[in-house]
Amino acid sequence: MKAIVATDPAAEAAGITLAERPEPTPAINDVVVEVHASGFVPAEWEWPSTWVDRAGRDRAPAIIGHEFTGVVTSLGYGTTGLSLGQRVFGITDWHRDGTLAEYAAVEARNLAPLPGNVDFTVGASLPISGLTAWQGLFQHGRLQAGQSVLAHGAAGAVGSVVTQLAREFGAYVIGTGRAADRQAALDFGANEFLDLATEDLDDIGGVDMVFDVIGADIQRRSARIIRPGGTLVTVVGPVEARPVDGLAVDFVVESVPSQLMEIVDRVRDGRLRTHIGTVATLDDAVPALNPTERRKGKTVVRVRP
């Protein structure tokens, strides 16, 4: 089968290539999915799990991509809850071969049914961005109606979902980004927008939650404006700065089928819009995953027409 593989940690995106790989077989409690579309997160190059398995063994060349939509074609021994021919979506295990391939083996417990009226490309843009936003806001941030949220990257793949969900649940959202992102962030529902290049975070006053997708100095400056009892939620690794009188949480997103259904139901009824930027075919995916300029929104690869 065709697959996009990463070959060299030092080369990062420059080391990916389209290759032929054996089709996977399902282990116990697995399914094999005929992949129709796969999302991609550029930070995969920085994840140790891209390069080694849980035992520390070298995985290269590793098939990349971990969020997808497709159709179940094979069931492993003991697999329950899914059926042959079923449309599904979700996240694969970080330490296993991923979804930028014609077929992928996935633990059945990580998948949710994909409704027939949700396009495969749209569905593939949802799992990582949607679950990151959902888990950060509600599971780790414990968002309450009436609170204020500073959403970094509010026009991006994750930030746009953070903005929409926070607004739906009654929060006041201040989005951040570059000047060119202002209108998009406001269109996704931000009450205000702050240009990180020209405006001062301290001018905001104070917020109850910061949703951080940037880290470094932006995270440190953001921690200073969190009100007592507030929360800093980040997805960029160990927290470098903590609120003076609050909570700091860094987390790795996990596939939770019940949450996937909450997210896809919102897409179906129009409460949630996904932000898809670049769409490429599997044959043309390598340059799309190694862009020469900044890309907006989620990159999705259509594996099948």
Side-chain angles (χ1 to χ4, degrees):
M1 68 173 183
K2 293 179 182 178
I4 303 295
V5 298
T7 60
D8 182 0
E12 296 187 341
I16 63 173
T17 186
L18 180 66
E20 285 290 330
R21 294 295 298 272
E23 289 188 17
T25 56
I28 295 173
N29 296 323
D30 270 1
V31 298
V32 170
V33 177
E34 179 187 73
V35 179
H36 281 243
S38 173
F40 179 72
V41 178
E44 280 195 36
W45 318 123
E46 303 166 13
W47 302 345
S49 57
T50 297
W51 306 108
V52 297
D53 64 16
R54 283 191 167 82
R57 297 179 294 245
D58 185 16
R59 290 187 56 224
I63 299 174
I64 55 176
H66 288 282
E67 58 187 329
F68 74 111
T69 55
V71 174
V72 175
T73 60
S74 181
L75 303 175
Y77 179 77
T79 299
T80 60
L82 296 174
S83 58
L84 294 176
Q86 186 172 6
R87 290 164 49 102
V88 293
F89 73 126
I91 300 176
T92 63
D93 187 282
W94 309 117
H95 289 84
R96 297 176 64 176
D97 274 342
T99 57
L100 281 166
E102 292 180 296
Y103 295 90
V106 191
E107 290 178 277
R109 65 179 181 175
N110 287 333
L111 300 177
L114 180 71
N117 59 351
V118 176
D119 179 77
F120 283 117
T121 300
V122 172
S125 72
L126 295 175
I128 291 180
S129 298
L131 289 172
T132 298
W134 188 278
Q135 291 167 16
L137 287 172
F138 308 127
Q139 189 172 321
H140 302 292
R142 301 183 184 276
L143 180 68
Q144 301 294 318
Q147 291 184 325
S148 54
V149 176
L150 180 67
H152 285 309
V158 173
S160 60
V161 182
V162 170
T163 298
Q164 292 172 83
L165 289 177
R167 281 297 305 274
E168 179 190 344
F169 282 81
Y172 185 90
V173 179
I174 303 167
T176 78
R178 304 184 185 191
D181 299 326
R182 182 183 299 272
Q183 191 56 53
L186 295 174
D187 289 344
F188 280 118
N191 298 93
E192 300 179 34
F193 181 84
L194 185 138
D195 177 359
L196 290 173
T198 63
E199 299 176 274
D200 193 343
L201 278 169
D202 291 331
D203 292 342
I204 293 173
V207 295
D208 298 299
M209 184 190 302
V210 170
F211 202 116
D212 171 43
V213 296
I214 301 173
D217 183 58
I218 296 298
Q219 183 187 103
R220 290 189 287 272
R221 288 159 54 196
S222 300
R224 296 200 302 260
I225 65 170
I226 296 175
R227 296 180 179 126
T231 306
L232 169 67
V233 176
T234 182
V235 294
V236 293
V239 177
E240 298 181 19
R242 296 178 177 273
V244 173
D245 184 17
L247 182 66
V249 180
D250 69 280
F251 74 100
V252 176
V253 65
E254 58 182 344
S255 194
V256 180
S258 61
Q259 296 173 359
L260 284 169
M261 295 310 300
E262 291 276 9
I263 292 161
V264 78
D265 283 347
R266 285 167 167 77
V267 172
R268 293 173 70 191
D269 64 22
R271 284 178 289 169
L272 183 67
R273 289 187 294 123
T274 183
H275 188 187
I276 298 174
T278 301
V279 177
T281 65
L282 189 63
D283 288 338
D284 298 326
V286 170
L289 303 180
N290 191 9
T292 57
E293 58 187 22
R294 179 180 178 240
R295 295 280 178 85
K296 296 182 179 181
K298 171 70 70 174
T299 296
V300 177
V301 174
R302 286 184 179 140
V303 178
R304 285 175 171 79

